[in-house]
Amino acid sequence: MTETNTEKFLEGFRQWWLNKGHSKRSADSYCSGIRRVNKEFFLPIVNKDLFAELEKAITKGCAVDYIYALTGIIGAKIINARDLKEQKRYQDMRSCLCKFTEYITERQESILMPGRWSEADEVGLSNIMSESDHQYYDYATLIKMLSQQIRARGYINTKKNIYFSMRLLECLFLRCDTEQSKYFDQRGILSYNGKSINFKRWYSKWLQFILNRVKIHTLMGDFTLSQAEGMLIERSTRRVWIIDREHHRTIPLMTETESGLLPMEAESLRDIKLKRSECIGRVLERLWDVMPVMRRIAAEIRKTVKGQTITDDDGKVIAIDSFQLESLTPMSNWYLDHVDWSVMAPLLSLARTELGYIAAATHLTLTSSTANL
């Protein structure tokens, strides 16, 4: 064991931790925990001492990858722990390793990219974004692109008379703004502040509310999307970071897998998905009885399309009231041209409350497509 290297790295970590305002006792505890990780995991698995390898690994840019692997292994141990005491011991070790990883990340990046990552507060992210190997997505872009995954959701259950299509609802809300604004004004149906209802703005805020609560796993604990200033993806290594809004730090992302939390990998934002803790079907089935307006909207759609058929470009006749997956898109398109606004417009103004129930019951987590269980 290379004691000189061990003390070199642990003393560097100790000073880094103390400089963040933490106590000497806390620093000593974390250093002891990292020694245990090296002894119990790195040495037996790799047959090498972690601290002896870190110097070379940092110059090659793979030191953080070493520690990522250890984090995943310990995560699997936590899941398979036989009792709470053993589980707590592994959790403490992972916590120590996460803090040490943050220190090694800053050290590695300060060597490989001096003056760029550690000084992001002062110089901003322009240098990072200019690199052809990096993709940077600001907060507005994340909201816009991730919202597409929500807007495509839908559910149908003919036995329980449940019909829910985000695409159709979005189109109805937008048409209310463009085609039915006079209807609401004439009847005095106004927003809480006495102004005309802006359905498009309300719908955008509704989506943003859901997305802001998206959970993001990182090496520094869990964040929400509202706490992210942006996201950075390095194409060549498929590594992913968020830039946290408060401190402008680049923090490695983790993703849930069957083996526990592992480093997130992606080549672009398209590889990152929103995973639901409860599928939309179960949410709707659980809430349907307390959503009379949504039941009325579903009944109105079913009544309007009953008995209707269309012929597609290949000459195939489609019964759009079959409420099968293949008929949902043509049914929605047909219905939008045959809406009875005298019924639907007032229903949509009331549906916003019930859609709030759905938003509150929606819990999403950011995950990579390869690990999306």
Side-chain angles (χ1 to χ4, degrees):
M1 187 172 182
T2 310
E3 188 63 26
T4 303
N5 252 12
T6 301
E7 294 307 322
K8 175 183 175 181
F9 278 103
L10 288 182
E11 184 57 31
F13 170 70
R14 188 192 311 275
Q15 289 302 318
W16 174 83
W17 190 241
L18 291 174
N19 290 340
K20 288 183 173 290
H22 299 286
S23 67
K24 182 178 181 300
R25 181 178 179 181
S26 172
D28 290 341
S29 175
Y30 276 124
C31 287
S32 298
I34 296 162
R35 286 180 186 272
R36 287 196 299 273
V37 170
N38 182 41
K39 183 179 179 181
E40 290 190 34
F41 290 97
F42 198 85
L43 274 169
I45 294 171
V46 185
N47 294 321
K48 293 180 181 179
D49 175 62
L50 172 64
F51 302 105
E53 297 298 309
L54 277 179
E55 195 73 61
K56 291 182 292 183
I58 285 175
T59 59
K60 292 179 180 179
C62 61
V64 177
D65 296 327
Y66 276 174
I67 306 176
Y68 275 164
L70 287 177
T71 305
I73 292 168
I74 296 174
K77 288 284 187 180
I78 293 171
I79 293 173
N80 298 317
R82 291 171 294 182
D83 55 55
L84 291 176
K85 185 177 180 180
E86 183 182 34
Q87 186 182 67
K88 177 66 166 58
R89 191 172 74 86
Y90 287 134
Q91 287 173 336
D92 290 342
M93 292 171 72
R94 185 174 67 177
S95 177
C96 294
L97 192 60
C98 286
K99 299 301 181 185
F100 188 63
T101 305
E102 187 182 347
Y103 163 67
I104 293 299
T105 299
E106 289 189 13
R107 183 164 177 168
Q108 177 173 290
E109 289 168 348
S110 68
I111 292 174
L112 297 180
M113 293 176 282
R116 181 180 299 173
W117 299 84
S118 60
E119 296 173 9
D121 294 36
E122 291 78 22
V123 302
L125 294 163
S126 57
N127 289 334
I128 297 172
M129 289 185 282
S130 66
E131 291 288 333
S132 59
D133 191 36
H134 294 91
Q135 287 182 320
Y136 176 73
Y137 305 91
D138 60 17
Y139 169 80
T141 303
L142 290 175
I143 291 291
K144 180 178 180 180
M145 295 185 70
L146 291 174
S147 70
Q148 295 174 8
Q149 296 184 37
I150 298 175
R151 293 157 68 188
R153 301 291 171 92
Y155 178 71
I156 185 168
N157 185 325
T158 52
K159 291 182 179 179
K160 297 185 178 181
N161 290 319
I162 300 176
Y163 173 69
F164 183 82
S165 166
M166 280 307 308
R167 178 182 173 276
L168 180 55
L169 279 172
E170 179 179 12
C171 291
L172 289 170
F173 278 128
L174 297 183
R175 289 200 179 185
C176 263
D177 272 345
T178 58
E179 300 176 15
Q180 301 299 312
S181 58
K182 290 183 179 178
Y183 173 91
F184 293 104
D185 291 341
Q186 290 170 356
R187 287 160 177 76
I189 302 174
L190 304 172
S191 184
Y192 68 92
N193 57 8
K195 297 182 179 180
S196 298
I197 300 173
N198 188 319
F199 285 99
K200 180 179 180 180
R201 184 183 303 154
W202 177 87
Y203 180 76
S204 296
K205 288 184 177 180
W206 181 79
L207 280 175
Q208 189 167 350
F209 172 80
I210 293 175
L211 288 166
N212 274 337
R213 298 166 66 232
V214 169
K215 183 186 295 184
I216 304 174
H217 297 306
T218 81
L219 277 178
M220 295 181 63
D222 288 345
F223 286 73
T224 62
L225 190 59
S226 63
Q227 295 173 291
E229 181 179 306
M231 180 184 293
L232 184 71
I233 297 177
E234 189 176 47
R235 293 187 185 93
S236 59
T237 63
R238 295 175 59 87
R239 292 166 66 190
V240 188
W241 299 266
I242 63 162
I243 293 86
D244 82 295
R245 189 180 297 277
E246 183 177 0
H247 302 292
H248 307 288
R249 298 166 299 182
T250 53
I251 307 172
L253 262 63
M254 308 292 285
T255 190
E256 296 176 5
T257 72
E258 292 178 342
S259 301
L261 291 179
L262 292 176
M264 182 178 286
E265 294 186 355
E267 289 184 3
S268 72
L269 193 55
R270 292 186 181 88
D271 295 330
I272 297 176
K273 304 299 180 184
L274 296 173
K275 186 184 77 170
R276 286 179 174 270
S277 61
E278 183 180 22
C279 72
I280 184 63
R282 289 178 183 172
V283 170
L284 289 169
E285 289 175 11
R286 181 161 51 82
L287 296 176
W288 202 242
D289 288 341
V290 295
M291 296 198 297
V293 178
M294 291 303 301
R295 295 203 305 270
R296 285 278 308 280
I297 289 175
E300 176 63 19
I301 293 171
R302 291 178 69 90
K303 183 183 75 172
T304 304
V305 303
K306 186 177 181 180
Q308 299 296 330
T309 62
I310 64 168
T311 304
D312 65 14
D313 295 337
D314 297 326
K316 180 182 177 181
V317 176
I318 300 174
I320 61 174
D321 64 352
S322 64
F323 283 87
Q324 301 300 314
L325 285 176
E326 64 271 14
S327 71
L328 293 185
T329 297
M331 185 274 288
S332 297
N333 293 336
W334 184 91
Y335 178 76
L336 287 169
D337 292 328
H338 298 82
V339 180
D340 183 348
W341 285 108
S342 65
V343 176
M344 187 57 65
L347 289 176
L348 289 174
S349 68
L350 298 172
R352 294 174 297 162
T353 298
E354 294 180 7
L355 287 174
Y357 302 161
I358 294 174
T362 300
H363 302 284
L364 303 169
T365 304
L366 219 57
T367 183
S368 63
S369 57
T370 55
N372 189 3
L373 306 180

